[in-house]
Amino acid sequence: MHTILVTGGCGFIGSNFIRYLLAESGFDGCVVNLDKLTYAGNPENLAGVEERFAGRYRFVKGDICDAALVRETLRRHRIDAICHFAAESHVDRSIVGPGAFIETNVQGTFTLLEAAREHAAALSLFHHVSTDEVYGSLGPEGYFTEETPYRPNSPYSASKAASDHLVRAYHHTYDLPVTVSNCSNNYGPYQFPEKLIPLMILNAAEGKPLPVYGQGRNVRDWLHVADHCRAVWAVMQRGRRGETYAVGGRCEMVNLDTVQLICDLLDEMLPGDGRGPRRRLIGFVKDRPGHDLRYAIDCRKIEAELGWRPLETFESGLRKTIRWYLDNREWVSRVQSGEYQRWIAQQYHQS
Ligand code: NAD
Ligand code: DAU
């Protein structure tokens, strides 16, 4: 791999991945970042990268649904590998308005695959970044594996499932060299403050209410974004073509415990306002419609085949993440400067 097209590189995971690729992975080629810059895409997530890696990083502003642009980008930059992150990624938004999810996640992935097929002679890999949500919801027992049947429950996960199936079909039918990773919940720096962890950190730091959906009993398997980036790169380098790898943190947490831990760490790291522990800010709100109960990944395949394993523990990763959000208040106010309101769920409960 010499020149990798990263789609959605200005988002949370994509920007962490580009930094990792250029600075830490040992890769010495070039990265072209194709991003539409939606509300979730912020060029400042990559501040300093162009200067620090002069000649190895290019940004192309554009939509993965734009077939002519995608084709031209592959040709002009002599792309020989693709790592596809670009997506609409927030479940709550998919409940409020599913259209953009079908457009970007399904149509956009199809457009990329078609361009990749035309460009196949020059392409060694199409890596598709996906989610464990395609498998639906677990009860109290068991784990998702690469063999778990797809049962997506939200418009978001259904659109990601559709994109996974297209990627699989392009391998099966056209022999496109693909790999897929299905990962659990990520957290870490540069995550847009609509997702649970950054939203709770910022609201708790500012003394605002902490809206826990339902009873707060839902379980998520958390993985630090740096561990996810290493997993994606391991799959890209050494994963078998046509294979899927499930990626998770072996870190199941009940939502309420996660929010309480954030409160306790913040009480320790940021002196309070004298009104008592931040746990007092927690409130239970109407549940997310169709809310999946539990996600948990069995990641033995990627561990055994590729030697990957998560390095960050939840508490150490969470401490670093809280520190990052406290130290980057300017970033927070800039990315929130558009139409965004921190609590999307209010919208679907009002309508
Ligand atoms: P994000 O919402 O933070 O970023 C998405 C990026 O894609 C943004 O930069 C946005 O501008 C860009 N984008 C959106 N539509 C586009 C389009 N039509 N054309 C070009 N660019 C477009 O998302 P994220 O959390 O970084 O997730 C990245 C990928 O990883 C997604 O495919 C998501 O499904 C997957 N994933 C996320 C998680 C998680 O916990 N966040 C876990 C597993 C898998
Ligand atoms: O599992 C991987 C998926 O994880 C990714 O594919 C998605 O892109 C990513 O957004 C994430 O989906 P979730 O729906 O699990 O993440 P979210 O941060 O939105 O919510 C995590 C849990 O916290 C979920 O059970 C809902 C709950 N929640 C969320 C918010 C925003 C609350 O209780 N209150 C909130 O305000």
Side-chain angles (χ1 to χ4, degrees):
M1 289 180 263
H2 296 292
T3 307
I4 302 177
L5 176 70
V6 175
T7 68
C10 292
F12 164 46
I13 307 174
S15 61
N16 276 282
F17 182 72
I18 288 177
R19 287 178 188 279
Y20 166 77
L21 200 54
L22 292 171
E24 291 173 54
S25 68
F27 170 71
D28 59 4
C30 301
V31 171
V32 176
N33 172 13
L34 172 63
D35 197 301
K36 182 182 171 182
L37 301 184
T38 67
Y39 79 93
N42 293 288
E44 41 221 293
N45 293 2
L46 288 167
V49 165
E50 204 155 353
E51 298 74 32
R52 183 170 165 207
F53 300 98
R56 292 183 61 206
Y57 173 75
R58 291 269 163 73
F59 176 61
V60 177
K61 182 174 183 311
D63 191 330
I64 56 166
C65 299
D66 180 343
L69 174 73
V70 173
R71 252 190 251 125
E72 175 59 12
T73 304
L74 294 180
R75 194 194 58 75
R76 175 181 303 172
H77 296 281
R78 299 183 180 186
I79 299 295
D80 57 9
I82 297 174
C83 183
H84 176 33
F85 289 96
E88 287 293 335
S89 68
H90 188 32
V91 173
D92 289 334
R93 284 181 192 262
S94 83
I95 296 169
V96 177
F101 288 72
I102 305 306
E103 186 65 19
T104 286
N105 301 359
V106 185
Q107 186 67 36
T109 302
F110 166 69
T111 305
L112 261 184
L113 284 165
E114 274 295 272
R117 185 159 76 91
E118 279 174 32
H119 191 73
L123 204 69
S124 65
L125 179 67
F126 185 111
H127 179 73
H128 179 57
V129 179
S130 193
T131 168
D132 61 354
E133 297 200 10
V134 297
Y135 302 121
S137 183
L138 292 165
E141 304 291 323
Y143 296 91
F144 296 137
T145 74
E146 293 79 3
E147 309 305 323
T148 305
Y150 274 40
R151 297 182 68 155
N153 286 322
S154 70
Y156 163 69
S157 54
S159 68
K160 290 296 290 187
S163 67
D164 292 12
H165 291 321
L166 282 169
V167 171
R168 182 191 142 82
Y170 271 63
H171 175 69
H172 192 77
T173 307
Y174 304 115
D175 209 19
L176 196 73
V178 311
T179 46
V180 178
S181 50
N182 291 86
C183 187
S184 65
N185 288 62
N186 283 213
Y187 70 100
Y190 300 104
Q191 185 167 32
F192 194 81
E194 62 188 353
K195 310 280 166 62
L196 180 75
I197 287 184
L199 185 145
M200 294 295 169
I201 294 173
L202 293 171
N203 277 14
E206 294 164 17
K208 292 181 178 158
L210 307 179
V212 172
Y213 299 168
Q215 303 296 306
R217 302 313 304 164
N218 304 66
V219 173
R220 294 295 182 265
D221 176 354
W222 293 100
L223 182 71
H224 192 274
V225 65
D227 282 325
H228 187 191
C229 292
R230 288 193 304 102
V232 167
W233 185 230
V235 173
M236 289 182 72
Q237 284 185 296
R238 303 190 300 282
R240 284 181 290 141
R241 299 316 186 231
E243 290 289 315
T244 287
Y245 294 85
V247 184
R250 292 185 185 277
C251 175
E252 286 184 60
M253 290 286 294
V254 172
N255 286 345
L256 183 57
D257 293 342
T258 299
V259 178
Q260 287 177 339
L261 181 58
I262 290 170
C263 290
D264 298 347
L265 291 174
L266 261 170
D267 286 343
E268 191 192 306
M269 294 166 71
L270 182 72
D273 53 10
R275 278 187 280 167
R278 287 183 171 84
R279 285 186 184 208
R280 75 182 190 285
L281 301 168
I282 294 174
F284 296 96
V285 300
K286 209 167 158 190
D287 209 351
R288 171 187 279 177
H291 197 171
D292 286 338
L293 177 67
R294 175 172 166 257
Y295 304 145
I297 292 270
D298 175 345
C299 45
R300 278 179 294 179
K301 178 175 172 181
I302 186 170
E303 287 176 345
E305 275 190 27
L306 307 183
W308 173 89
R309 64 187 175 81
L311 298 179
E312 195 73 64
T313 67
F314 192 53
E315 191 175 324
S316 68
L318 201 51
R319 268 183 199 280
K320 287 185 199 167
T321 305
I322 292 173
R323 184 78 270 148
W324 189 87
Y325 279 92
L326 295 179
D327 291 346
N328 288 276
R329 301 305 275 267
E330 239 177 71
W331 176 90
V332 171
S333 61
R334 277 205 297 272
V335 303
Q336 286 188 168
S337 61
E339 58 186 25
Y340 173 63
Q341 309 153 30
R342 227 179 254 168
W343 186 7
I344 298 288
Q346 267 174 340
Q347 292 179 27
Y348 56 67
H349 290 314
Q350 273 161 8
S351 60

